[in-house]
Amino acid sequence: MSRILLVENGHDSSARLLLPPLRDAGHEFEQIEDGAAALDRILSAPPALTLLDVALPRIDGLRVLEKVRSHSDHPIIMLTARTREADRLRGFDMGADDYVCKPFSPREVVARVNTVLRRRAQRPYAAKPSAAVSFTDPRASLEGHALDLTRRELLLLRALSRDPGRVFTRSNLLEAAFPEALDVNERAVDGHIKNLRKKMACVVPSHDWIRSIYGVGFSFAERPA
C-alpha cells in the first residue's frame, strides 16, 4: 500500500474527489494545506508520491518542487488550475513527473499516480537530467551550442533529455510534444526525431544522441565519460 500526499489549499475540493478512487486503488491518503508544512513532510518523511497544487499558502507549489528537487528525486505530480502551456513546461523543467490540470477526472489522476509509481519502481537508477542539454525558453543548447529547433523538436528534446537512458515509446513522446492534439498519428514523432537528430549532429557530429530502440521507441544517450 502506497501513501499519497495531496498538497492543496483546504478551500478546494480535490480531496473529496480523490479519496475514494485512491483508496479503491489500494493507496493511503493524507492532505496538507500549505507549502511550508508540505515541504517539511516530504523532506523528513516522504510519502510514496505527492500531488502538489501550485497556489498554496506560505510557499507556492513551484517553490516546493524546486526545493524538493534540490534534495531528492521524490515523485511529484503537479495538480493545478493553471492550463497555459508555459506553466506546464515550467513545471516539467523544474522536475515534475507529470502535470494534471483542473478540472480533472479523479480516475485519470489515479491512473497517472499508478503510472508514475510503476515507472519509478522499474528504474534501476535515479534519473538525472542530461548535463549536455540546457534550456532557456524558448531555446535549447547542446554542450553550450545553440540549437535552432521547432516547438515540437524542443518539446521532444525536453522529454528525452530529462531522463537519459529511459526508453520512451512513441505514445510517451506524442503526449510530450503534442499535448493539445487528439488526432496526431504516433508516426509523426519519427519525422520530428529525424530532424532533431540532424540538428544535434550539426553541433556534435561524433555522437548519436537519440537512439532508436527497435519495436519500442527512442532513448537519449549521454556521451561516454
Side-chain angles (χ1 to χ4, degrees):
M1 181 176 290
S2 301
R3 179 173 290 274
I4 308 301
L5 173 64
L6 172 67
V7 185
E8 184 183 53
N9 191 304
H11 296 298
D12 294 320
S13 59
S14 295
R16 177 177 55 81
L17 296 172
L18 289 171
L19 180 56
L22 282 170
R23 283 183 171 168
D24 289 345
H27 301 299
E28 294 182 344
F29 181 86
E30 64 176 299
Q31 183 178 12
I32 293 177
E33 297 183 0
D34 78 77
L39 179 61
D40 181 69
R41 170 73 169 85
I42 293 168
L43 295 180
S44 61
L49 179 144
T50 297
L51 295 167
L52 181 63
D53 201 353
V54 172
L56 296 170
R58 297 174 67 189
I59 303 177
D60 71 46
L62 290 175
R63 183 65 172 156
V64 172
L65 174 63
E66 180 182 40
K67 286 182 171 291
V68 170
R69 280 293 170 264
S70 68
H71 292 84
S72 80
D73 197 34
H74 171 72
I76 294 176
I77 297 177
M78 303 303 293
L79 186 67
T80 176
R82 298 185 182 182
T83 59
R84 292 191 311 150
E85 182 181 86
D87 292 322
R88 296 199 306 273
L89 292 178
R90 185 182 178 196
F92 282 127
D93 280 346
M94 294 175 69
D97 291 88
D98 205 344
Y99 208 110
V100 179
C101 296
K102 301 177 182 178
F104 56 79
S105 159
R107 291 190 177 190
E108 179 187 357
V109 174
V110 173
R112 289 175 181 262
V113 165
N114 290 336
T115 296
V116 170
L117 289 175
R118 184 169 57 252
R119 189 169 68 211
R120 287 301 186 98
Q122 292 172 345
R123 290 193 307 184
Y125 56 87
K128 293 183 180 180
S130 171
V133 182
S134 59
F135 297 93
T136 305
D137 285 337
R139 300 187 180 278
S141 297
L142 177 64
E143 295 191 345
H145 300 278
L147 294 168
D148 183 17
L149 304 181
T150 67
R151 174 172 167 271
R152 303 295 187 195
E153 293 162 1
L154 181 67
L155 292 173
L156 285 169
L157 184 58
R158 282 184 195 275
L160 288 162
S161 64
R162 277 185 62 232
D163 202 346
R166 174 188 164 193
V167 178
F168 289 81
T169 66
R170 288 180 175 80
S171 179
N172 294 150
L173 295 175
L174 190 65
E175 184 176 349
F178 300 82
E180 75 289 353
L182 299 177
D183 58 351
V184 179
N185 189 289
E186 289 184 3
R187 288 295 172 180
V189 170
D190 291 20
H192 292 288
I193 290 289
K194 180 180 179 180
N195 292 333
L196 179 56
R197 279 172 165 157
K198 287 181 179 179
K199 292 178 180 180
M200 297 178 78
C202 288
V203 173
V204 183
S206 59
H207 181 65
D208 183 13
W209 293 98
I210 301 174
R211 296 180 180 173
S212 297
I213 311 301
Y214 181 75
V216 182
F218 302 94
S219 177
F220 187 90
E222 296 277 34
R223 285 218 275 184

